[in-house]
C-alpha cells in the first residue's frame, strides 16, 4: 500500500509533516466517480457509519414507539462533544425506554471537547456514560432493544439481537459482507467491521438518494437526514466541522467523522457518496480531505466556500496567534 | 520521499493505521550507525533541541550568576505538563532575574496534560504564560538576557542577541548551517531551523559524550545532563514517556520529544545520538519509534525492558478497558 500524500502541514516555506490517504466517491448505481489511492484495503469505518447503524431504530418503529424527537434521532448518529444538550438528550432517550444511564455499555470518558471537559471539571462534576461521545447511538440501541421486547443487557456483543440487526443493516446498505475475520471492537465496545472504501461510499450514496434500499430503510434514511439537517449541533458540537458544515450547507451535505481518520458523506442532490481514510488516522488530515472533496463536487456560494476553504487550506497559528504555517489538501485534492 | 512504515496501529486482526518515518543514529565522530528512510530532508527539530538551546544559559555563567538549581536547569530543557511544580520553578527562575510572568513571550495555553488542565479549571484559575509547556526554556532565555545586561524585550525574534546566541549554539553542536530559508516560527514564537536528521543525531551524540564541543559547551552539556537525570519530572511531567524512561534508566539516556513527531536522544555510555521524525507528526508513533530504538541499542534489565516494550508494542484499550488492538514498532524497528 503506497497511498499518495493528500495533506501537507507546512511551517515557514517548508513542508513539516505529510498525511497520505485514499478516497472513494461513488454514485447511487455503484459507479466510481473519483478514486484516489488504494481503495481495496478494508477500512474500519468506526463512528462514520452511525447514521446507517441508526436505520433499524427508525425502520423498526422503535423511534415512533418512544416518540423520539428529531434532535434525539440526530444524537443517535452523533459523536458528540458531551455538551449539556447532548447529555440531556441521551438521558431523555433512555428515559423514554424506561431505562437510565446504567444500561449504557459504552464506557465513560471526559467530554472530547476540552473546553467542555474543563467546564465540567470546574462545576465539580465527573463524567458518566452519558458524556461518552457515543451515548446517543447507544441510547438508540437501548431503545431498539426495549421496543422489541429484547433485554438490552449485553447489547454491545456481536451475537446480541440488536448488534445482529445493526450488522445486517450495514451489510444491506454497503453491500459488503461483514465477516468475523474483519471484525474489531470499537472504542465504545460494539463491533466494527472493516470494508473497502468504495462499498462504504456506495452505502452513503444510497443513504443520501434512498435508491436501492428497502422501502423501510429508504424512508428511515430520509427521516434521519432531515433530522440531522435540522439539528447539526446534536451530531457533533460547538465549533466542530460536521456541525459547521451542515449548519451552513443544510441538507445538501450529510457528513460524519470517524476515529482514525475516517470520513463519510452523502451529497443527496448529486446522488453521490464519499468515504475516505487518512492512513495515519489524523483528524486534521481527514477533515482537510473532506473539505477538499466538498469544494470539488458542490457548487458553493462565497460564505460556504470560505468555511470549506478554511479547513481544506487551514492557517496554522501558534500560542501567540502568529501565523506559522498551514494544513492544506494537496495533489489530487488540491483546489 | 517515501519513508517506510515504522509503526502500525492494529484493531482486531487487521492494521487500522500506519505511520511512516525516518531515523538517524550517529556516533560522536559523525559516523552513521543506523539510517532508516530518507534522512536528507531537513526536519524542524522543534522542542527536541531545548537542551542544546539551554547550553548558553550555563556556558555564559548566567545559570551560576542567578544560582539556578538543577531542577530549574532541567525545566529550561522541558516541554512540561504545566503541573504546579513546573509553574513554580519557572516563576522562581524569572524572579532570580528580577522579572515576572509578563516578560515571557511564549503565549498562554491550558496545560497540555488534560488532567492538569481540568484540575486547574476545577480550582477556578486560568492559565498564564507560566503554564505554557515552554515557560522554563523561555525563563532561561530571560535569565540569559538579564545576566548579560541585554534587554529581554523581543527575545523571541531571530535578530535578538539571545536568539543569535542560541542559533550559534545549535550550529556549533549540530554542524548544520541555520539559514533563513530553513527557518520557521515555533509554537512558542522563537525561530526553529530545519536540518537533516543525521546532523541532529550528531549533535546529540556530542551532547551526550562531550566530544568535539568547545570546553564551555562540553562542561555545560555534562551539567545539563546531570540536572535532567536528577529531575526527570521537570522535563515533562506525570506519566510522560520522557520522564518515565529517564526515571527508570537514569543518566544512560537523555531523551526529548518535540512537536510534529520529532524525537532526539543521547546514549552517553555508547557515545550515540538519535534523531527521528514521524512523517505525519503523530506523537504515539514517535514514542513507539524511540522506544524501539532504546530497546535496540541499550542493554536493559527486566523492569527497563518492560517499560520500553509497553510503548514500542503498546496495547490499545477502549473506554471500557477492553483490549482492542496495539500500537507497535514494525519493519526495521521491530523487536
Amino acid at each position: 500500500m503506497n497511498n499518495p500524500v493528500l495533506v501537507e502541514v507546512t511551517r515557514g516555506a517548508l513542508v513539516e509533516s505529510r498525511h497520505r490517504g485514499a478516497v472513494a466517491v461513488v454514485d447511487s448505481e455503484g459507479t466510481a466517480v473519483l478514486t484516489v489511492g488504494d481503495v481495496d484495503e478494508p477500512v474500519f469505518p468506526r463512528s462514520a457509519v452511525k447514521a446507517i447503524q441508526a436505520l433499524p431504530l427508525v425502520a423498526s418503529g422503535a423511534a415512533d414507539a418512544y416518540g423520539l424527537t428529531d434532535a434525539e434521532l440526530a444524537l443517535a448518529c452523533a459523536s458528540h462533544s458531551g455538551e449539556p444538550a447532548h447529555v440531556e438528550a441521551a438521558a431523555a432517550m433512555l428515559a423514554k425506554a424506561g431505562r437510565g444511564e446504567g444500561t449504557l455499555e459504552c464506557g465513560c470518558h471526559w467530554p472530547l471537547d476540552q473546553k467542555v471537559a474543563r467546564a465540567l471539571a470546574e462545576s465539580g462534576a465527573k463524567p458518566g456514560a452519558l458524556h461518552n461521545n457515543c451515548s446517543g447511538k447507544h441510547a438508540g440501541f437501548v431503545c431498539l432493544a426495549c421496543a422489541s421486547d429484547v433485554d438490552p443487557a449485553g447489547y454491545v456483543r456481536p451475537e446480541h439481537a440488536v448488534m445482529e440487526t445493526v450488522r445486517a443493516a450495514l451489510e444491506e446498505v454497503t453491500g459488503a459482507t461483514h465477516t468475523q475475520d474483519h471484525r474489531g471492537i470499537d472504542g465504545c465496545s460494539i463491533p466494527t467491521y472493516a470494508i473497502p472504501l468504495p462499498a462504504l461510499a456506495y452505502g452513503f450514496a444510497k443513504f443520501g438518494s434512498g435508491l436501492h434500499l428497502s422501502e423501510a430503510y429508504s424512508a428511515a434514511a430520509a427521516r434521519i437526514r432531515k433530522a440531522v439537517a435540522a439539528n447539526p449541533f446534536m451530531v457533533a458540537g460547538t465549533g466542530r466541522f460536521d456541525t459547521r458544515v451542515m449548519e451552513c450547507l443544510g441538507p445538501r451535505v450529510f457528513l460524519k467523522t470517524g476515529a482514525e481518520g475516517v470520513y463519510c458523506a452523502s451529497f443527496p442532490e448529486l446522488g453521490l457518496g464519499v468515504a475516505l481514510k487518512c492512513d495515519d488516522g489524523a483528524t486534521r488530515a481527514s477533515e482537510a480531505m473532506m473539505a477538499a472533496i466538498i469544494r470539488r463536487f458542490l457548487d458553493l456560494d462565497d460564505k460556504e466556500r470560505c468555511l470549506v476553504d478554511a479547513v481544506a487550506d487551514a492557517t496554522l497559528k501558534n500560542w501567540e496567534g502568529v501565523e506559522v504555517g498551514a494544513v492544506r489538501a494537496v495533489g489530487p485534492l488540491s483546489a
Side-chain angles (χ1 to χ4, degrees), chain A:
Chain A
M1 198 200 61
N2 199 359
N3 287 329
V5 173
L6 298 180
V7 176
E8 284 179 352
V9 181
T10 64
R11 182 167 299 269
L14 303 182
V15 175
E16 181 166 30
S17 296
R18 293 175 176 86
H19 299 279
R20 295 167 183 269
V23 183
V25 183
V26 173
D27 70 19
S28 301
E29 302 305 319
T31 306
V33 172
L34 175 71
T35 302
V36 177
D38 172 13
V39 294
D40 293 329
E41 194 188 18
V43 163
F44 286 113
R46 311 291 303 273
S47 290
V49 291
K50 278 175 174 166
I52 297 174
Q53 291 169 326
L55 289 173
L57 174 66
V58 175
S60 68
D64 283 335
Y66 292 132
L68 297 188
T69 64
D70 275 2
E72 289 162 357
L73 275 184
L75 193 76
C77 308
S79 298
H80 64 72
S81 295
E83 298 177 70
H86 301 127
V87 172
E88 286 156 22
M93 291 171 73
L94 289 168
K96 287 176 178 179
R99 296 283 175 158
E101 190 171 13
T103 306
L104 294 177
E105 300 179 357
C106 48
C108 300
H109 63 76
W110 282 89
L112 296 186
D113 185 283
Q114 295 308 330
K115 267 194 190 171
V116 179
R118 292 195 302 261
L120 189 67
E122 208 175 333
S123 77
K126 298 269 175 248
L130 290 170
H131 293 87
N132 186 306
N133 75 91
C134 300
S135 68
K137 176 182 71 176
H138 281 248
F141 292 153
V142 170
C143 287
L144 177 58
C146 292
S148 322
D149 279 327
V150 168
D151 182 357
Y155 70 85
V156 295
R157 291 201 304 266
E159 65 277 12
H160 190 280
V162 165
M163 277 310 114
E164 288 193 341
T165 303
V166 167
R167 189 186 67 237
L170 280 165
E171 288 186 320
E172 179 181 332
V173 175
T174 64
T177 311
H178 284 41
T179 53
Q180 200 175 322
D181 56 320
H182 281 188
R183 189 170 79 201
I185 303 172
D186 212 326
C188 65
S189 292
I190 71 162
T192 178
Y193 296 87
I195 66 169
L197 290 173
L200 207 46
Y202 182 41
F204 275 91
K206 291 160 72 179
F207 178 81
S209 67
L211 297 173
H212 307 299
L213 291 177
S214 67
E215 205 174 313
Y217 278 179
S218 182
R223 182 158 163 204
I224 287 173
R225 284 192 287 108
K226 191 165 156 273
V228 169
N231 298 275
F233 170 80
M234 297 306 279
V235 176
T238 305
R240 299 261 304 273
F241 186 57
D242 287 356
T243 296
R244 287 188 295 131
V245 167
M246 292 193 281
E247 275 174 356
C248 187
L249 275 80
R252 298 166 64 203
V253 173
F254 171 88
L255 86 162
K256 182 69 192 73
T257 190
E260 292 295 331
V262 176
Y263 236 117
C264 289
S266 298
F267 302 153
E269 63 186 12
L270 303 175
L272 298 179
V274 184
L276 61 83
K277 156 100 176 134
C278 168
D279 289 359
D280 59 73
T283 298
R284 68 178 178 187
S286 62
E287 284 187 350
M289 289 159 70
M290 182 54 84
I293 293 291
I294 292 172
R295 114 180 134 183
R296 177 166 180 155
F297 284 95
L298 293 180
D299 201 17
L300 304 175
D301 66 22
D302 287 352
K303 189 181 148 209
E304 294 162 348
R305 176 88 190 190
C306 181
L307 170 75
V308 170
D309 279 348
V311 174
D313 196 356
T315 300
L316 264 186
K317 293 185 177 180
N318 75 1
W319 300 117
E320 274 285 40
V322 178
E323 185 173 333
V324 295
V327 179
R328 62 186 184 204
V330 296
L333 299 188
S334 56

